[in-house]
Coordinates of all heavy atoms in Angstrom, one line a residue:
M1 N -230.2 72.8 -30.9 CA -229.4 72.7 -32.1 C -230.3 73.3 -33.3 O -231.4 73.0 -33.4 CB -229.1 71.3 -32.4 CG -228.3 71.1 -33.7 SD -227.9 69.5 -34.2 CE -229.3 68.5 -33.6
H2 N -229.7 74.1 -34.1 CA -230.4 74.7 -35.2 C -230.1 73.8 -36.4 O -228.9 73.7 -36.9 CB -229.9 76.1 -35.5 CG -230.1 77.0 -34.3 ND1 -231.3 77.5 -33.9 CD2 -229.2 77.5 -33.4 CE1 -231.2 78.2 -32.8 NE2 -229.9 78.2 -32.5
E3 N -231.1 73.2 -37.0 CA -230.9 72.2 -38.1 C -230.1 72.8 -39.2 O -229.2 72.2 -39.7 CB -232.3 71.8 -38.6 CG -232.9 70.7 -37.8 CD -232.2 69.4 -37.7 OE1 -231.4 69.1 -38.6 OE2 -232.3 68.8 -36.6
A4 N -230.4 74.0 -39.6 CA -229.7 74.6 -40.8 C -228.2 74.8 -40.6 O -227.5 74.7 -41.6 CB -230.4 75.9 -41.1
S5 N -227.8 75.0 -39.4 CA -226.4 75.3 -39.2 C -225.6 74.1 -38.7 O -224.4 74.2 -38.5 CB -226.2 76.5 -38.2 OG -226.7 76.1 -37.0
Y6 N -226.3 73.0 -38.6 CA -225.7 71.8 -38.0 C -224.7 71.2 -39.0 O -225.0 70.8 -40.1 CB -226.7 70.7 -37.6 CG -226.1 69.5 -37.0 CD1 -225.6 69.6 -35.7 CD2 -226.0 68.3 -37.7 CE1 -225.0 68.4 -35.2 CE2 -225.4 67.2 -37.2 CZ -224.9 67.3 -35.9 OH -224.3 66.2 -35.3
I7 N -223.4 71.1 -38.6 CA -222.4 70.5 -39.5 C -221.7 69.4 -38.8 O -220.6 69.0 -39.2 CB -221.4 71.6 -40.0 CG1 -220.9 72.5 -38.9 CG2 -222.0 72.4 -41.2 CD1 -219.8 73.5 -39.4
G8 N -222.2 68.9 -37.7 CA -221.7 67.8 -37.0 C -220.7 68.2 -35.9 O -219.5 68.1 -36.0
E9 N -221.3 68.6 -34.8 CA -220.4 69.1 -33.7 C -219.9 67.9 -32.8 O -219.2 68.2 -31.9 CB -221.2 70.0 -32.8 CG -221.5 71.4 -33.4 CD -222.8 71.5 -34.2 OE1 -223.4 70.4 -34.4 OE2 -223.2 72.6 -34.6
D10 N -220.2 66.7 -33.2 CA -219.7 65.6 -32.4 C -218.1 65.6 -32.4 O -217.5 65.9 -33.4 CB -220.1 64.2 -33.0 CG -221.6 64.1 -32.9 OD1 -222.2 64.4 -31.8 OD2 -222.2 63.6 -33.8
Y11 N -217.6 65.1 -31.3 CA -216.2 65.0 -31.2 C -215.7 63.6 -31.8 O -216.4 62.6 -31.7 CB -215.7 65.1 -29.8 CG -215.8 66.6 -29.3 CD1 -216.9 67.0 -28.7 CD2 -214.7 67.4 -29.5 CE1 -217.0 68.3 -28.2 CE2 -214.8 68.7 -29.0 CZ -216.0 69.2 -28.4 OH -216.0 70.5 -28.0
I12 N -214.5 63.6 -32.3 CA -213.9 62.4 -32.8 C -212.5 62.3 -32.0 O -211.8 63.3 -32.0 CB -213.6 62.5 -34.3 CG1 -215.0 62.6 -35.0 CG2 -212.9 61.3 -34.8 CD1 -214.9 63.0 -36.4
V13 N -212.2 61.1 -31.5 CA -211.0 61.0 -30.8 C -210.0 60.1 -31.7 O -210.4 59.1 -32.2 CB -211.2 60.2 -29.5 CG1 -209.9 60.0 -28.7 CG2 -212.2 61.0 -28.6
I14 N -208.9 60.6 -31.9 CA -207.9 59.9 -32.7 C -206.6 59.7 -31.8 O -206.0 60.6 -31.3 CB -207.5 60.8 -33.9 CG1 -208.7 61.0 -34.7 CG2 -206.4 60.1 -34.7 CD1 -208.6 62.2 -35.8
K15 N -206.3 58.4 -31.6 CA -205.2 58.0 -30.8 C -204.1 57.4 -31.7 O -204.4 56.4 -32.4 CB -205.6 57.0 -29.7 CG -204.4 56.6 -28.9 CD -204.8 55.7 -27.7 CE -203.6 55.4 -26.8 NZ -204.0 54.6 -25.7
A16 N -202.9 57.9 -31.7 CA -201.8 57.4 -32.5 C -201.3 56.1 -31.9 O -201.0 56.1 -30.7 CB -200.7 58.4 -32.7
L17 N -201.2 55.1 -32.8 CA -200.6 53.8 -32.3 C -199.2 53.6 -32.8 O -198.6 52.6 -32.5 CB -201.5 52.7 -32.8 CG -203.0 52.7 -32.4 CD1 -203.7 51.5 -33.0 CD2 -203.1 52.7 -30.9
E18 N -198.7 54.6 -33.5 CA -197.3 54.6 -33.9 C -196.8 56.1 -34.0 O -197.7 57.0 -34.1 CB -197.1 53.9 -35.2 CG -197.7 54.5 -36.4 CD -197.5 53.8 -37.7 OE1 -196.8 52.8 -37.7 OE2 -198.1 54.2 -38.7
N19 N -195.5 56.3 -34.2 CA -195.1 57.7 -34.4 C -195.4 58.2 -35.8 O -195.4 57.4 -36.7 CB -193.5 57.8 -34.2 CG -193.1 57.6 -32.7 OD1 -193.9 57.9 -31.8 ND2 -191.9 57.2 -32.5
G20 N -195.6 59.5 -35.9 CA -195.8 60.1 -37.2 C -197.2 59.9 -37.9 O -197.3 60.0 -39.1
V21 N -198.2 59.6 -37.0 CA -199.5 59.6 -37.6 C -199.9 61.0 -38.0 O -199.7 62.0 -37.4 CB -200.5 59.0 -36.6 CG1 -202.0 59.2 -37.0 CG2 -200.3 57.5 -36.3
T22 N -200.5 61.1 -39.2 CA -200.9 62.4 -39.8 C -202.4 62.5 -39.9 O -203.0 61.6 -40.4 CB -200.2 62.6 -41.1 OG1 -198.9 62.3 -41.0 CG2 -200.4 64.0 -41.6
I23 N -202.9 63.6 -39.4 CA -204.3 63.9 -39.6 C -204.4 65.1 -40.6 O -203.8 66.1 -40.3 CB -205.0 64.3 -38.3 CG1 -204.8 63.3 -37.2 CG2 -206.5 64.6 -38.5 CD1 -205.2 63.7 -35.8
I24 N -205.1 64.9 -41.7 CA -205.2 66.0 -42.7 C -206.6 66.5 -42.8 O -207.5 65.7 -43.0 CB -204.7 65.4 -44.1 CG1 -203.3 64.9 -44.0 CG2 -204.8 66.5 -45.1 CD1 -202.9 63.9 -45.1
G25 N -206.8 67.8 -42.6 CA -208.1 68.4 -42.7 C -208.4 68.7 -44.2 O -207.6 69.4 -44.8
L26 N -209.6 68.4 -44.7 CA -210.0 68.7 -46.1 C -211.1 69.7 -46.1 O -212.0 69.6 -45.2 CB -210.4 67.4 -46.8 CG -209.4 66.3 -46.8 CD1 -210.0 65.0 -47.3 CD2 -208.2 66.7 -47.7
T27 N -211.0 70.6 -47.0 CA -211.9 71.8 -47.0 C -213.4 71.4 -47.3 O -213.6 70.5 -48.1 CB -211.5 72.8 -48.0 OG1 -211.4 72.2 -49.3 CG2 -210.2 73.4 -47.7
R28 N -214.3 72.1 -46.7 CA -215.7 72.0 -47.0 C -216.0 72.7 -48.3 O -215.4 73.8 -48.5 CB -216.5 72.5 -45.8 CG -218.0 72.3 -46.0 CD -218.8 72.8 -44.7 NE -218.5 72.0 -43.5 CZ -219.0 70.8 -43.3 NH1 -219.9 70.3 -44.1 NH2 -218.6 70.1 -42.2
G29 N -217.0 72.3 -49.0 CA -217.4 73.0 -50.2 C -217.0 72.3 -51.5 O -216.7 71.1 -51.5
K30 N -217.1 73.0 -52.6 CA -217.0 72.4 -54.0 C -215.6 71.9 -54.1 O -215.4 70.8 -54.7 CB -217.3 73.5 -55.0 CG -217.6 73.0 -56.4 CD -218.4 74.0 -57.2 CE -217.6 75.3 -57.5 NZ -216.5 75.1 -58.4
D31 N -214.6 72.6 -53.7 CA -213.2 72.1 -53.8 C -212.9 71.2 -52.6 O -213.3 71.5 -51.5 CB -212.2 73.2 -53.8 CG -212.4 74.0 -55.1 OD1 -212.8 73.5 -56.1 OD2 -212.0 75.2 -55.1
T32 N -212.0 70.2 -52.8 CA -211.6 69.4 -51.7 C -210.1 69.5 -51.6 O -209.4 68.9 -52.4 CB -212.0 67.9 -51.9 OG1 -213.4 67.9 -52.0 CG2 -211.6 67.1 -50.7
K33 N -209.6 70.3 -50.7 CA -208.1 70.6 -50.6 C -207.7 70.3 -49.2 O -208.4 70.5 -48.3 CB -207.8 72.0 -51.0 CG -208.1 72.3 -52.5 CD -207.7 73.7 -52.9 CE -207.8 73.8 -54.4 NZ -207.9 75.2 -54.8
F34 N -206.4 70.0 -49.1 CA -205.8 69.9 -47.8 C -205.6 71.3 -47.2 O -205.2 72.2 -47.9 CB -204.3 69.3 -47.9 CG -204.2 67.9 -48.2 CD1 -205.3 67.2 -48.7 CD2 -203.0 67.2 -48.1 CE1 -205.2 65.8 -49.0 CE2 -202.9 65.9 -48.5 CZ -204.0 65.2 -48.9
H35 N -206.1 71.5 -46.0 CA -205.8 72.9 -45.4 C -205.1 72.8 -44.1 O -204.7 73.9 -43.5 CB -207.1 73.7 -45.3 CG -208.1 73.2 -44.3 ND1 -208.0 73.5 -43.0 CD2 -209.1 72.3 -44.4 CE1 -208.9 72.9 -42.3 NE2 -209.6 72.2 -43.1
H36 N -205.0 71.6 -43.5 CA -204.3 71.5 -42.2 C -203.8 70.1 -42.1 O -204.4 69.2 -42.4 CB -205.3 71.8 -41.1 CG -204.7 71.9 -39.8 ND1 -204.2 73.1 -39.2 CD2 -204.4 71.0 -38.8 CE1 -203.7 72.9 -38.1 NE2 -203.8 71.6 -37.8
T37 N -202.6 70.1 -41.5 CA -201.9 68.8 -41.2 C -201.5 68.8 -39.8 O -200.9 69.8 -39.3 CB -200.7 68.6 -42.2 OG1 -201.2 68.7 -43.5 CG2 -200.1 67.3 -42.0
E38 N -201.7 67.7 -39.1 CA -201.3 67.6 -37.7 C -200.6 66.2 -37.6 O -201.1 65.2 -38.0 CB -202.6 67.6 -36.9 CG -202.5 68.0 -35.5 CD -202.1 69.4 -35.2 OE1 -202.6 70.3 -35.8 OE2 -201.2 69.5 -34.4
K39 N -199.5 66.3 -36.9 CA -198.7 65.0 -36.7 C -198.8 64.6 -35.2 O -198.7 65.4 -34.3 CB -197.2 65.3 -37.0 CG -196.9 65.4 -38.5 CD -196.2 64.1 -39.0 CE -195.8 64.4 -40.4 NZ -195.7 63.1 -41.2
L40 N -199.1 63.3 -35.0 CA -199.1 62.8 -33.7 C -198.1 61.7 -33.5 O -197.8 60.9 -34.4 CB -200.5 62.1 -33.4 CG -201.8 62.9 -33.5 CD1 -203.0 62.1 -33.1 CD2 -201.7 64.2 -32.7
D41 N -197.5 61.6 -32.3 CA -196.6 60.5 -32.0 C -197.3 59.5 -31.2 O -198.4 59.7 -30.7 CB -195.3 61.1 -31.3 CG -194.3 61.7 -32.2 OD1 -194.3 61.3 -33.4 OD2 -193.6 62.6 -31.8
K42 N -196.7 58.3 -31.1 CA -197.3 57.2 -30.5 C -197.9 57.5 -29.1 O -197.2 58.1 -28.3 CB -196.3 56.0 -30.4 CG -196.9 54.7 -29.9 CD -195.9 53.6 -30.0 CE -196.5 52.3 -29.5 NZ -195.6 51.2 -29.8
G43 N -199.1 57.2 -28.9 CA -199.7 57.5 -27.6 C -200.4 58.8 -27.5 O -201.2 59.0 -26.6
E44 N -200.1 59.7 -28.4 CA -200.8 61.0 -28.4 C -202.2 60.9 -28.9 O -202.5 60.1 -29.8 CB -200.0 62.0 -29.2 CG -198.7 62.5 -28.6 CD -198.0 63.6 -29.4 OE1 -198.1 63.6 -30.6 OE2 -197.4 64.5 -28.7
V45 N -203.1 61.7 -28.3 CA -204.5 61.7 -28.6 C -204.9 63.1 -29.0 O -204.5 64.1 -28.5 CB -205.3 61.3 -27.3 CG1 -206.8 61.5 -27.6 CG2 -205.0 59.8 -27.0
M46 N -205.7 63.1 -30.1 CA -206.3 64.4 -30.5 C -207.8 64.3 -30.5 O -208.3 63.3 -31.0 CB -205.7 64.8 -31.9 CG -206.0 66.2 -32.2 SD -204.7 66.9 -33.2 CE -205.5 68.4 -33.6
V47 N -208.5 65.3 -30.0 CA -209.9 65.3 -30.0 C -210.3 66.4 -31.0 O -209.9 67.6 -30.8 CB -210.4 65.6 -28.5 CG1 -211.9 65.6 -28.5 CG2 -209.8 64.7 -27.5
V48 N -211.1 66.0 -32.0 CA -211.4 67.0 -33.1 C -212.9 67.0 -33.4 O -213.7 66.1 -33.0 CB -210.6 66.6 -34.3 CG1 -209.1 66.7 -34.1 CG2 -211.0 65.3 -34.9
Q49 N -213.3 68.0 -34.2 CA -214.6 68.2 -34.7 C -214.6 68.6 -36.1 O -213.6 69.2 -36.6 CB -215.4 69.3 -34.0 CG -215.8 69.0 -32.5 CD -216.3 70.3 -31.9 OE1 -215.6 71.3 -31.8 NE2 -217.6 70.2 -31.6
F50 N -215.6 68.3 -36.9 CA -215.8 68.9 -38.2 C -216.3 70.3 -38.0 O -216.9 70.6 -37.0 CB -216.8 68.1 -39.0 CG -216.2 66.7 -39.4 CD1 -216.7 65.6 -38.8 CD2 -215.2 66.7 -40.4 CE1 -216.1 64.4 -39.2 CE2 -214.7 65.4 -40.8 CZ -215.1 64.3 -40.2
T51 N -216.0 71.2 -38.9 CA -216.3 72.6 -38.7 C -216.8 73.2 -40.0 O -216.9 72.4 -41.0 CB -215.1 73.4 -38.3 OG1 -214.2 73.4 -39.4 CG2 -214.4 72.9 -37.1
E52 N -217.1 74.4 -40.0 CA -217.5 75.2 -41.2 C -216.4 75.0 -42.3 O -216.7 75.0 -43.5 CB -217.5 76.6 -40.7 CG -218.0 77.6 -41.6 CD -217.8 79.1 -41.1 OE1 -217.5 79.2 -39.9 OE2 -217.8 80.0 -41.9
H53 N -215.2 74.9 -41.9 CA -214.0 74.8 -42.8 C -213.6 73.4 -43.2 O -212.9 73.2 -44.2 CB -212.8 75.6 -42.3 CG -213.2 77.0 -41.9 ND1 -213.4 77.9 -42.9 CD2 -213.3 77.6 -40.7 CE1 -213.7 79.1 -42.3 NE2 -213.7 78.9 -41.0
T54 N -213.9 72.5 -42.3 CA -213.4 71.1 -42.5 C -214.6 70.1 -42.6 O -215.4 70.0 -41.7 CB -212.6 70.7 -41.3 OG1 -211.5 71.6 -41.1 CG2 -211.9 69.3 -41.5
S55 N -214.7 69.4 -43.7 CA -215.8 68.5 -43.9 C -215.3 67.0 -44.0 O -216.1 66.1 -44.0 CB -216.7 68.8 -45.0 OG -216.0 68.5 -46.2
A56 N -214.0 66.9 -44.1 CA -213.5 65.5 -44.2 C -212.1 65.5 -43.6 O -211.4 66.5 -43.5 CB -213.5 65.0 -45.6
M57 N -211.7 64.3 -43.2 CA -210.3 64.2 -42.6 C -209.7 62.9 -43.2 O -210.4 62.0 -43.4 CB -210.3 64.1 -41.1 CG -210.7 65.3 -40.4 SD -210.8 65.0 -38.6 CE -212.1 66.2 -38.2
K58 N -208.4 63.0 -43.4 CA -207.7 61.8 -43.9 C -206.7 61.5 -42.8 O -206.0 62.4 -42.4 CB -207.1 62.2 -45.2 CG -206.2 61.1 -45.8 CD -205.9 61.5 -47.3 CE -204.9 60.6 -47.9 NZ -204.7 60.9 -49.3
I59 N -206.6 60.2 -42.5 CA -205.7 59.8 -41.4 C -204.7 58.8 -42.0 O -205.1 57.8 -42.5 CB -206.4 59.3 -40.2 CG1 -207.3 60.4 -39.6 CG2 -205.5 58.7 -39.1 CD1 -208.4 60.0 -38.8
R60 N -203.4 59.2 -41.8 CA -202.4 58.3 -42.3 C -201.6 57.7 -41.2 O -201.3 58.4 -40.2 CB -201.3 59.1 -43.1 CG -201.7 59.4 -44.5 CD -200.5 59.7 -45.4 NE -201.0 60.2 -46.7 CZ -200.7 61.4 -47.2 NH1 -199.9 62.2 -46.6 NH2 -201.2 61.7 -48.3
G61 N -201.4 56.4 -41.3 CA -200.6 55.7 -40.2 C -201.6 54.9 -39.3 O -202.8 55.0 -39.4
Q62 N -200.9 54.3 -38.3 CA -201.7 53.4 -37.4 C -202.3 54.2 -36.3 O -201.6 54.8 -35.5 CB -200.8 52.3 -36.9 CG -201.3 50.9 -37.1 CD -200.4 50.0 -36.4 OE1 -199.3 49.7 -36.9 NE2 -200.9 49.4 -35.4
A63 N -203.7 54.2 -36.3 CA -204.4 55.0 -35.3 C -205.7 54.3 -34.9 O -206.2 53.6 -35.7 CB -204.6 56.4 -35.8
E64 N -206.2 54.7 -33.8 CA -207.5 54.2 -33.4 C -208.4 55.5 -33.4 O -208.1 56.5 -32.9 CB -207.5 53.7 -31.9 CG -208.8 53.1 -31.5 CD -208.7 52.5 -30.1 OE1 -207.7 52.6 -29.4 OE2 -209.8 52.0 -29.6
I65 N -209.5 55.3 -34.1 CA -210.4 56.5 -34.3 C -211.8 56.1 -33.6 O -212.4 55.1 -34.0 CB -210.6 56.7 -35.8 CG1 -209.2 57.0 -36.4 CG2 -211.6 57.9 -36.1 CD1 -209.1 56.5 -37.8
V66 N -212.2 56.9 -32.7 CA -213.4 56.6 -31.9 C -214.4 57.8 -32.2 O -214.0 58.9 -32.1 CB -213.1 56.5 -30.4 CG1 -214.4 56.1 -29.7 CG2 -212.0 55.4 -30.2
H67 N -215.6 57.4 -32.6 CA -216.6 58.4 -32.9 C -218.0 57.8 -32.5 O -218.1 56.7 -32.0 CB -216.6 58.8 -34.3 CG -216.4 57.6 -35.2 ND1 -217.5 56.8 -35.5 CD2 -215.3 57.1 -35.9 CE1 -217.1 55.8 -36.3 NE2 -215.8 56.0 -36.5
R68 N -219.0 58.6 -32.7 CA -220.4 58.1 -32.2 C -220.8 56.9 -32.9 O -221.7 56.2 -32.3 CB -221.4 59.3 -32.4 CG -221.8 59.5 -33.8 CD -222.7 60.7 -33.9 NE -223.9 60.5 -33.2 CZ -225.0 61.3 -33.3 NH1 -224.9 62.4 -34.0 NH2 -226.1 61.1 -32.6
Y69 N -220.3 56.5 -34.0 CA -220.7 55.3 -34.7 C -219.9 54.0 -34.2 O -220.2 52.9 -34.6 CB -220.6 55.4 -36.2 CG -221.4 56.6 -36.7 CD1 -220.7 57.8 -37.1 CD2 -222.8 56.7 -36.6 CE1 -221.4 58.9 -37.6 CE2 -223.5 57.8 -37.1 CZ -222.8 58.9 -37.5 OH -223.5 60.0 -37.9
G70 N -218.9 54.3 -33.4 CA -218.1 53.2 -33.0 C -216.6 53.5 -33.1 O -216.2 54.7 -33.0
S71 N -215.8 52.5 -33.4 CA -214.4 52.8 -33.6 C -213.8 52.0 -34.7 O -214.4 51.0 -35.1 CB -213.6 52.6 -32.3 OG -213.6 51.2 -32.0
V72 N -212.7 52.5 -35.3 CA -212.1 51.9 -36.4 C -210.6 52.1 -36.3 O -210.2 53.1 -35.6 CB -212.7 52.5 -37.7 CG1 -212.3 54.0 -37.9 CG2 -212.2 51.7 -38.9
N73 N -209.8 51.2 -36.8 CA -208.4 51.4 -36.8 C -207.9 51.7 -38.2 O -208.3 51.1 -39.1 CB -207.7 50.1 -36.3 CG -207.7 50.1 -34.8 OD1 -208.7 50.1 -34.1 ND2 -206.5 50.1 -34.2
S74 N -207.0 52.7 -38.3 CA -206.4 53.0 -39.6 C -205.0 52.4 -39.6 O -204.4 52.1 -38.5 CB -206.3 54.5 -39.8 OG -205.5 55.1 -38.8
G75 N -204.4 52.2 -40.8 CA -203.0 51.9 -40.9 C -202.8 50.4 -40.9 O -201.7 50.0 -41.2
K76 N -203.8 49.6 -40.6 CA -203.6 48.1 -40.6 C -204.8 47.5 -41.3 O -205.9 47.8 -41.0 CB -203.5 47.6 -39.2 CG -202.0 47.3 -38.9 CD -201.9 46.2 -37.8 CE -200.4 45.8 -37.8 NZ -200.0 45.4 -36.5
V77 N -204.5 46.7 -42.3 CA -205.5 46.0 -43.0 C -205.7 44.6 -42.4 O -204.7 43.9 -42.4 CB -205.2 45.9 -44.5 CG1 -206.4 45.2 -45.3 CG2 -205.0 47.3 -45.1
S78 N -206.9 44.3 -41.9 CA -207.0 43.0 -41.3 C -206.9 41.9 -42.4 O -207.2 42.1 -43.5 CB -208.3 42.9 -40.5 OG -209.4 43.3 -41.4
N79 N -206.3 40.8 -42.0 CA -206.0 39.7 -42.9 C -204.9 39.9 -43.8 O -204.6 39.1 -44.7 CB -207.3 39.3 -43.8 CG -208.4 38.9 -42.9 OD1 -208.3 38.3 -41.9 ND2 -209.6 39.2 -43.4
D80 N -204.2 41.0 -43.6 CA -203.0 41.3 -44.4 C -201.8 40.9 -43.6 O -201.4 41.6 -42.6 CB -203.0 42.8 -44.8 CG -201.8 43.1 -45.7 OD1 -200.9 42.2 -45.8 OD2 -201.7 44.2 -46.2
K81 N -201.2 39.8 -43.9 CA -200.0 39.3 -43.1 C -198.8 40.2 -43.2 O -197.9 40.2 -42.4 CB -199.7 37.9 -43.6 CG -200.7 36.9 -43.3 CD -200.3 35.5 -43.8 CE -201.5 34.6 -43.8 NZ -201.9 34.2 -45.1
N82 N -198.8 41.1 -44.2 CA -197.6 42.0 -44.4 C -197.7 43.3 -43.6 O -196.8 44.0 -43.6 CB -197.4 42.3 -45.9 CG -197.1 41.0 -46.7 OD1 -196.4 40.2 -46.2 ND2 -197.8 40.9 -47.8
S83 N -198.8 43.5 -43.0 CA -199.0 44.8 -42.3 C -198.6 44.7 -40.8 O -198.6 43.6 -40.3 CB -200.3 45.4 -42.5 OG -201.3 44.6 -41.8
Ligands
LIG1 N1 -215.1 69.4 -50.2 C1 -215.9 68.2 -50.0 C2 -217.3 68.6 -49.4 O1 -217.4 69.5 -48.6 C3 -215.2 67.3 -49.0 C4 -215.8 66.0 -48.9 C5 -216.8 65.7 -47.9 C6 -215.7 64.8 -49.7 N2 -217.2 64.4 -48.0 C7 -216.6 63.8 -49.1 C8 -214.9 64.5 -50.8 C9 -216.7 62.6 -49.7 C10 -215.1 63.2 -51.4 C11 -215.9 62.3 -50.8 O2 -218.2 67.9 -49.7

């Protein structure tokens, strides 16, 4: 691996736990803009990486996100009886 060009080649697994989960790719650099949107239905899995063009992702809806640091669930706030 070349330190200077390393932008995080690790894979991230996103599993939709409901229909219509949205993964939004945000641009790398000074501006932070949406540049890609991907919709997943319940049970669908997407395996992704950060790239030269994408430095952040926003995930809407209930999903399980697994990465090298562990896993996290989106779309449900624990202790929130209304969710
Ligand atoms: N365009 C920003 C960048 O490349 C995107 C970003 C990455 C960001 N991490 C962030 C925006 C944390 C807000 C907070 O740095």
Side-chain angles (χ1 to χ4, degrees):
M1 178 185 33
H2 305 284
E3 280 299 329
S5 64
Y6 182 72
I7 48 175
E9 289 93 349
D10 293 318
Y11 287 92
I12 299 167
V13 179
I14 301 164
K15 179 175 183 176
L17 302 178
E18 66 179 356
N19 287 338
V21 167
T22 310
I23 304 169
I24 301 161
L26 302 171
T27 56
R28 184 175 295 281
K30 199 157 64 69
D31 294 334
T32 305
K33 295 187 172 156
F34 289 12
H35 70 82
H36 187 90
T37 300
E38 201 66 47
K39 286 251 185 210
L40 301 184
D41 282 332
K42 188 172 182 171
E44 284 185 326
V45 169
M46 190 145 172
V47 183
V48 299
Q49 287 174 296
F50 290 106
T51 66
E52 188 190 341
H53 305 291
T54 305
S55 71
M57 289 175 213
K58 177 168 171 171
I59 296 160
R60 282 201 186 122
Q62 233 182 290
E64 184 181 1
I65 302 145
V66 181
H67 45 74
R68 71 184 301 188
Y69 305 109
S71 67
V72 66
N73 276 63
S74 64
K76 256 206 168 145
V77 181
S78 49
N79 300 325
D80 182 350
K81 293 181 194 110
N82 298 319
S83 65

